[in-house]
Amino acid sequence: MTKTSRSMQLKDFRLIRAIHETGQLGMAAEQMAMSQPAASRMLASIERFVGGPVFLRHPKGMTPTPVGETLIRNGHNLLNGLDQTLREISSVSEGLAGTARVGSVTDGSVAFVVPAIQELKKTATGADIHVDVAPSDVLVEGLFRGEYDFVLSRIPPQYDKRQLEVRQARHEDICFMIRTGHPLSGQAAASLDQLAAHEWVIQAPHTPLRQAVEAVFVSAGVELPDDIVNTTSMLVMVAYLASSDAIAPIPRQVAHLFVANGLAGGLTTVEPQEKIQVSPYFLISRRNVMISAVATRLRELVFAAMNRSAP
């Protein structure tokens, strides 16, 4: 066999490595799950290709020649790189690595996305997770543009629901966040009149949360406050509440995160006497669109968390 009719194969480097590790052709053949004559023929073919012996034969075993040492050194790098590549491919295909892109409304991100990511990361330490929190219209538009693998969102009316896979509705219950020492602090619940008597920090008028809050007040015949600060920023809301007697309607899960975990010192909550519930949001994916294995795993963990908390 001439050099031009042959090239070095991965199995050649594996045999050379096995011979180097064991020092015996027979043991190397066994490690390679092949017969000793087949291993001998493969080694002879390698030596014809490189133009000289790869190993020196001794009564006690085989040691590499300078050519063999070169093949061993470079073969080690090649095989290690290949093994690492295969491990990474396996990790990606099993959902242990790769990228997942998620969008969510605030309540869903706190209640379901964060716990799902924490569960995923117990095994998928190589996963690259991206999470955006935004209004539903931004999220669904991003989903259709391919910016997200899935979203937790409401469905704006302009989108064709037949193009979407929609699962598991969840409602947001609303309470009001206030500073410790606020006039309403210490009350288990406040009437709508009491709540309307204070300045509000709240989302913009077109948002589902704002619409849900206003609908309850209008239905009860309670005038809405004139003194309102509009913001979508949680940081602005917290800073404003901490230094004023303003109040902020907020999803209960988010309030719990801030108050119970001490993320916003000096804040507490008060319940409205009337139940305030925002229209449901859903776990949404695009139909017939493939997503990565890690994104699929994360989506199923979110779905499981939503199922567990369903009433």
Side-chain angles (χ1 to χ4, degrees):
M1 183 178 292
T2 66
K3 291 184 183 182
T4 56
S5 64
R6 191 193 195 284
S7 61
M8 290 290 291
Q9 305 291 322
L10 286 173
K11 61 183 179 181
D12 296 330
F13 286 106
R14 293 193 187 280
L15 176 63
I16 292 169
R17 181 174 65 180
I19 296 172
H20 176 61
E21 290 175 349
T22 63
Q24 301 285 340
L25 184 61
M27 294 175 64
E30 184 177 346
Q31 190 179 104
M32 294 280 293
M34 61 193 307
S35 67
Q36 184 168 336
S40 180
R41 289 192 297 270
M42 183 185 295
L43 179 59
S45 177
I46 295 169
E47 291 180 328
R48 286 195 298 271
F49 175 72
V50 299
V54 176
F55 290 95
L56 296 175
R57 282 75 168 173
H58 303 288
K60 294 185 178 180
M62 301 172 69
T63 57
T65 65
V67 170
E69 290 174 351
T70 301
L71 290 172
I72 291 165
R73 182 177 64 253
N74 288 283
H76 176 80
N77 295 334
L78 175 65
L79 294 174
N80 278 358
L82 175 63
D83 290 344
Q84 177 63 28
T85 299
L86 293 175
R87 283 194 296 270
E88 289 181 11
I89 290 172
S90 177
S91 292
V92 169
S93 65
E94 294 172 5
L96 302 178
T99 300
R101 301 160 301 170
V102 185
S104 178
V105 295
T106 304
D107 182 81
S109 65
V110 172
F112 307 116
V113 175
V114 168
I117 292 172
Q118 291 171 334
E119 182 65 26
L120 177 72
K121 282 290 189 175
K122 291 178 180 178
T123 53
T125 55
D128 184 25
I129 311 297
H130 300 258
V131 182
D132 288 339
V133 177
S136 293
D137 54 349
V138 174
L139 295 173
V140 176
E141 182 181 349
L143 181 67
F144 273 96
R145 285 204 304 259
E147 296 173 3
Y148 302 117
D149 296 307
F150 64 92
V151 298
L152 275 69
S153 169
R154 296 166 183 90
I155 307 174
Q158 66 268 31
Y159 292 97
D160 185 355
K161 297 175 180 61
R162 293 172 298 179
Q163 298 181 44
L164 301 172
E165 179 184 341
V166 182
R167 297 194 285 177
Q168 194 60 44
R170 294 297 304 167
H171 290 272
E172 292 175 289
D173 287 325
I174 301 301
C175 64
F176 283 77
M177 195 150 70
I178 57 178
R179 68 173 178 84
T180 303
H182 189 280
L184 297 177
S185 180
Q187 292 187 207
S191 69
L192 298 184
D193 287 308
Q194 287 177 306
L195 295 170
H198 292 275
E199 181 183 11
W200 284 10
V201 184
I202 191 171
Q203 296 178 5
H206 70 278
T207 59
L209 184 148
R210 175 75 169 265
Q211 292 173 343
V213 171
E214 290 184 346
V216 170
F217 278 76
V218 170
S219 178
V222 177
E223 291 289 331
L224 294 166
D226 295 324
D227 200 0
I228 289 179
V229 175
N230 301 279
T231 184
T232 58
S233 169
M234 295 296 295
L235 182 61
V236 169
M237 181 199 72
V238 168
Y240 201 91
L241 294 179
S243 57
S244 71
D245 281 342
I247 64 177
I250 186 171
R252 192 179 312 282
Q253 293 276 5
V254 180
H256 178 78
L257 176 70
F258 275 94
V259 176
N261 296 323
L263 298 182
L267 295 182
T268 186
T269 59
V270 61
E271 294 291 330
Q273 288 180 350
E274 300 285 338
K275 185 177 181 64
I276 303 176
Q277 195 170 65
V278 187
S279 59
Y281 61 87
F282 306 88
L283 176 58
I284 307 171
S285 310
R286 288 190 65 186
R287 291 189 184 276
N288 304 317
V289 173
M290 295 291 293
I291 62 176
S292 69
V294 71
T296 300
R297 281 191 65 199
L298 182 59
R299 182 179 61 185
E300 294 311 308
L301 287 169
V302 169
F303 181 60
M306 295 175 77
N307 263 334
R308 284 194 299 271
S309 67

